[in-house]
Amino acid sequence: MFSWAKQEQGGRNKEGEMYQTVTEGLQTLYTKKLLPLEDTYLFHDFHSPALEAADFQSKPMVLLVGQYSTGKTTFIRYLLEEDFPGMRIGPEPTTDGFIAVMYGENEGVVPGNALVVDPKKPFRKLNAFGNSFLNRFICSQMPNQVLQSISIIDTPGILSGEKQRISRGYDFSEVLRWFGERVDRIILLFDAHKLDISDEFSEAIKAFKGQDDKIRVVLNKADQVDTQQLMRVYGALMWSLGKVINTPEVVRVYLGSFWAKPLQNTENRRLFEAESQDLFRDIQSLPRNAALRKLNDLIKRARLAKVRSHDTSGILGKSWNVCLKWKSDPTNNLKNKVIIIVYMVCIHMFICCI
């Protein structure tokens, strides 16, 4: 029922254009035009790593984020209609790492250290997060029709408390920010009985700042409450999200029970079925809009690189003029020259922090 068509092919060359597909054109444009600008002004060191061929050629990705036992792994199984390698489901925190569920002819699991050296996968830059993260990152490959169109990223369940945040061994929020910049859809899952947003969950949501158009919210296990309780739960969820997601628009929330078992409370069956269809149509549209999303992200990246280049050039130009003026002044002594050197060092440090 929820198996989708294969990913559509890009537009072909009929008028003698230079590129056969939009993705190929974006990749060439980035390599020849934008990448030299980023290298010149150290954009990769202070903003975002350089893009590679796999970033342009990869399938659309869906990132699932939520607290433990909210049904993230079960949601993936519901989409795929079968189990996937490395899957563990239980009431306790079972998923202790990141799992990239992707298409593969042979079913199996690829460890993180081997995954980040594969040039065909868009995960090479994750090597910067160290072995602590790579030991908790795997790729689950399987021949599935849904995975021919999209890839799905499962994340560890978010727990409350300072101890859980420190004991991960890597910067969880920075990893989420890295994925948030590259995925096509971010789905925040909530349990109808777990609406509290812990400190780590709040930091995780804030890591997606600037990616608000990608965020969707799913209120899972909604069949476990009746209609009156569901109204209160929905209102409480919107109130909690309003304190974390600072956007003038109301975030889209989908209600339902996303697993293969029958509904426990059937009085809202028609509502849950309509919400499920809306969510699956949204996910199904990702392959069709993949090229447009890549174009949008590349334009955003180009604007950031342009702003950094203008700021850096302006600051260096004014600083150089001041230093030349001081150097040409015969009244300056050794003390003033030392001040000039310190001034230039401070300007350099300020540029690096932009």
Side-chain angles (χ1 to χ4, degrees):
M1 180 178 179
F2 302 117
S3 298
W4 308 310
K6 297 182 179 180
Q7 184 176 8
E8 297 178 359
Q9 299 293 330
R12 291 297 175 180
N13 183 0
K14 295 182 179 180
E15 303 294 336
E17 292 90 347
M18 185 179 298
Y19 313 114
Q20 291 185 339
T21 63
V22 176
T23 301
E24 180 185 352
L26 292 176
Q27 180 180 347
T28 305
L29 182 64
Y30 172 78
T31 304
K32 293 184 177 181
K33 302 294 183 180
L34 187 55
L35 184 59
L37 180 67
E38 294 180 351
D39 290 334
T40 302
Y41 293 98
L42 306 179
F43 184 86
H44 306 144
D45 296 329
F46 301 99
H47 284 274
S48 179
L51 299 179
E52 297 183 344
D55 294 315
F56 293 94
Q57 300 170 2
S58 62
K59 297 180 178 67
M61 292 189 292
V62 178
L63 178 68
L64 299 180
V65 182
Q67 302 186 84
Y68 76 94
S69 192
T70 55
K72 297 186 299 296
T73 306
T74 306
F75 182 84
I76 298 177
R77 188 192 181 283
Y78 188 58
L79 291 179
L80 303 181
E81 300 176 342
E82 60 178 319
D83 296 344
F84 58 89
M87 182 187 74
R88 292 176 56 202
I89 297 177
E92 76 281 0
T94 52
T95 304
D96 60 350
F98 287 76
I99 302 178
V101 186
M102 310 182 73
Y103 180 83
E105 296 295 338
N106 299 318
E107 185 173 313
V109 174
V110 181
N113 287 281
L115 190 61
V116 295
V117 298
D118 187 353
K120 297 181 180 180
K121 297 290 191 299
F123 306 121
R124 288 168 58 88
K125 298 301 181 180
L126 286 172
N127 188 47
F129 293 103
N131 288 328
S132 297
F133 167 74
L134 296 179
N135 291 334
R136 295 175 175 85
F137 179 47
I138 62 174
C139 177
S140 175
Q141 295 182 332
M142 60 183 300
N144 184 278
Q145 184 178 0
V146 175
L147 297 178
Q148 289 181 322
S149 302
I150 63 173
S151 300
I152 307 174
I153 310 297
D154 192 9
T155 61
I158 299 176
L159 302 175
S160 60
E162 184 73 10
K163 179 181 178 181
Q164 299 297 333
R165 183 182 66 84
I166 295 177
S167 62
R168 290 190 186 275
Y170 59 90
D171 196 331
F172 182 67
S173 297
E174 286 299 318
V175 174
L176 289 181
R177 179 177 289 109
W178 189 93
F179 276 108
E181 293 175 352
R182 289 160 177 79
V183 300
D184 296 73
R185 187 68 74 233
I186 302 171
I187 297 181
L188 305 179
L189 271 87
F190 288 87
D191 190 332
H193 299 284
K194 297 177 183 178
L195 299 179
D196 59 307
I197 299 179
S198 62
D199 293 339
E200 188 180 24
F201 198 7
S202 177
E203 292 180 6
I205 296 176
K206 292 178 181 177
F208 300 133
K209 183 180 180 180
Q211 315 295 335
D212 302 320
D213 58 317
K214 301 179 181 180
I215 296 178
R216 303 291 186 271
V217 178
V218 171
L219 180 58
N220 199 15
K221 304 180 184 180
D223 64 325
Q224 299 180 6
V225 296
D226 57 32
T227 304
Q228 184 179 14
Q229 293 174 336
L230 181 59
M231 293 177 60
R232 295 174 179 173
V233 168
Y234 182 83
L237 175 61
M238 297 300 294
W239 180 79
S240 299
L241 290 174
K243 298 191 299 181
V244 181
I245 302 178
N246 298 320
T247 57
E249 299 84 8
V250 178
V251 64
R252 179 67 166 94
V253 178
Y254 298 92
L255 309 176
S257 181
F258 298 93
W259 63 346
K261 296 184 179 181
L263 298 176
Q264 296 185 14
N265 194 331
T266 60
E267 60 184 76
N268 294 316
R269 176 184 298 275
R270 295 175 61 183
L271 172 63
F272 296 154
E273 290 177 353
E275 291 285 289
S276 299
Q277 292 298 327
D278 288 346
L279 176 60
F280 291 129
R281 275 194 293 266
D282 181 71
I283 298 177
Q284 188 177 3
S285 67
L286 296 180
R288 295 195 300 268
N289 301 326
L292 184 60
R293 196 276 304 173
K294 290 182 172 64
L295 174 62
N296 182 65
D297 289 349
L298 187 61
I299 292 175
K300 289 165 56 177
R301 186 183 182 94
R303 286 176 176 171
L304 285 175
K306 183 179 179 181
V307 169
R308 176 171 178 82
S309 65
H310 282 308
D311 291 343
T312 305
S313 300
I315 294 173
L316 285 178
K318 293 180 181 178
S319 303
W320 184 249
N321 292 335
V322 171
C323 292
L324 289 178
K325 181 178 179 181
W326 286 358
K327 183 178 180 181
S328 61
D329 190 349
T331 61
N332 284 335
N333 51 24
L334 180 62
K335 179 179 179 180
N336 290 338
K337 294 181 179 179
V338 173
I339 294 176
I340 293 175
I341 296 176
V342 173
Y343 176 77
M344 291 298 297
V345 171
C346 292
I347 289 296
H348 178 73
M349 295 176 63
F350 174 75
I351 293 174
C352 292
C353 295
I354 295 178

